[in-house]
Amino acid sequence: MKRALPLLAAIALTVLAMAPTAPAQTVGEFGVALKDFKPSYGGYTAVLDARVYDSAGAAPSQLATAQIRLPRGAKIREHYVYGKFICNTVVLEVYMNPNTCRDSQFATGTMVLDARPGLAEPISTNIYLFLGAVNIDEVGQGAIARVAVFVAGTSAFRSQVLYGTLFRDSGPYSYRLVLPAVVTPLTAGLRLSLAELHLTVTGLKVTKPATGRHSARKVFWTSLPRCDKNGEISFGVDFRFSGAATIPAQRAVKCSKFLRRRSS
């Protein structure tokens, strides 16, 4: 019996070696959290995290866009898509300084780019998101605002402004924010693939002056998200790759006491 053990072990190792390995695949992950609720005017902060990677450890497929879906009920108030809340993107591109559009900034964050095989180490940089004037040809598609994404330069690429769009959405969502994911490198042939995206969406707020009996008050840029019958609100993301299938992901966030519960 003892002599049979080495033979059985050898057979087992041979079978494992012959077994087909799972094919590598592109994986998309998404997470969201809400914090800093302000009961006096309904303000809050959303923290969104997305990650794309190859299950075998290779450089991920090149992401073309990331479409972030915002929860139903969180509708942007009309006066925030006009006037001083709209970034003058011409000035932004001339001066390449995010402070030129600080009144329009609704989110900040970081993006991590995978530059393999050209560069072994990932590249991290800061990004700033601003509301911009919508393109007329996109209004018929449900667009309500253009989104300018200022990407701070690194040794691999210059500072640049990328453009996305905020569209109306349906179902459990109010809007879909289509964000660009392709950064132009300094070196021709260098491939930059978005690996991680971390956004802190603080939104916009305005202080309305006192009038008559009413004292001055703050107004947040959106109404509150609508909780469904399970006491949750839904966020989503669609990872769209160049020449590859779309990977959807969804996250439901429990409505805490600071969000008014509404029926679906």
Side-chain angles (χ1 to χ4, degrees):
M1 185 66 180
K2 289 183 178 179
R3 293 179 180 177
L5 289 177
L7 178 60
L8 291 174
I11 293 174
L13 289 173
T14 302
V15 171
L16 288 174
M18 294 176 60
T21 57
Q25 59 180 346
T26 301
V27 180
E29 296 178 346
F30 178 59
V32 62
L34 301 179
K35 65 177 186 177
D36 299 337
F37 181 67
K38 307 297 182 184
S40 60
Y41 62 94
Y44 61 93
T45 295
V47 181
L48 310 174
D49 296 290
R51 181 177 175 231
V52 176
Y53 62 93
D54 181 272
S55 61
S61 300
Q62 189 166 45
L63 191 66
T65 61
Q67 298 193 56
I68 297 174
R69 298 179 183 271
L70 305 176
R72 180 176 53 184
K75 293 188 176 180
I76 296 178
R77 303 183 197 280
E78 187 174 349
H79 60 268
Y80 281 98
V81 293
Y82 300 100
K84 73 172 187 176
F85 296 106
I86 295 300
C87 172
N88 185 331
T89 54
V90 174
V91 174
L92 180 63
E93 290 192 18
V94 169
Y95 290 99
M96 281 297 171
N97 183 344
N99 288 330
T100 61
C101 284
R102 58 182 176 272
D103 289 337
S104 310
Q105 181 179 305
F106 67 90
T108 59
T110 59
M111 63 192 309
V112 179
L113 300 165
D114 191 317
R116 291 177 292 172
L119 299 174
E121 297 298 321
I123 302 167
S124 180
T125 189
N126 295 325
I127 59 175
Y128 306 82
L129 275 64
F130 310 97
L131 284 180
V134 66
N135 288 334
I136 297 300
D137 59 347
E138 291 181 321
V139 172
Q141 303 172 33
I144 66 165
R146 201 179 192 195
V147 177
V149 182
F150 179 88
V151 182
T154 70
S155 59
F157 53 85
R158 294 188 181 93
S159 294
Q160 51 199 275
V161 180
L162 309 178
Y163 291 99
T165 310
L166 186 66
F167 293 95
R168 292 183 179 85
D169 209 345
S170 58
Y173 308 112
S174 58
Y175 301 106
R176 57 187 175 93
L177 175 58
V178 182
L179 293 176
V182 180
V183 176
T184 303
L186 284 170
T187 305
L190 181 64
R191 182 175 176 271
L192 300 173
S193 300
L194 183 66
E196 297 179 26
L197 179 65
H198 307 284
L199 286 179
T200 299
V201 184
T202 54
L204 297 167
K205 60 180 179 289
V206 65
T207 300
K208 289 194 171 183
T211 55
R213 297 179 181 179
H214 300 286
S215 57
R217 61 189 180 92
K218 292 180 180 178
V219 179
F220 195 54
W221 73 324
T222 72
S223 54
L224 287 174
R226 183 177 301 165
C227 302
D228 63 19
K229 61 183 179 181
N230 297 318
E232 297 177 334
I233 56 177
S234 296
F235 288 80
V237 66
D238 293 332
F239 299 101
R240 296 197 170 184
F241 299 89
S242 301
T246 298
I247 299 178
Q250 184 182 38
R251 288 291 178 269
V253 179
K254 286 289 184 182
C255 292
S256 57
K257 294 179 181 179
F258 60 75
L259 288 179
R260 293 198 299 267
R261 184 181 178 85
R262 302 176 183 177
S263 59
S264 58

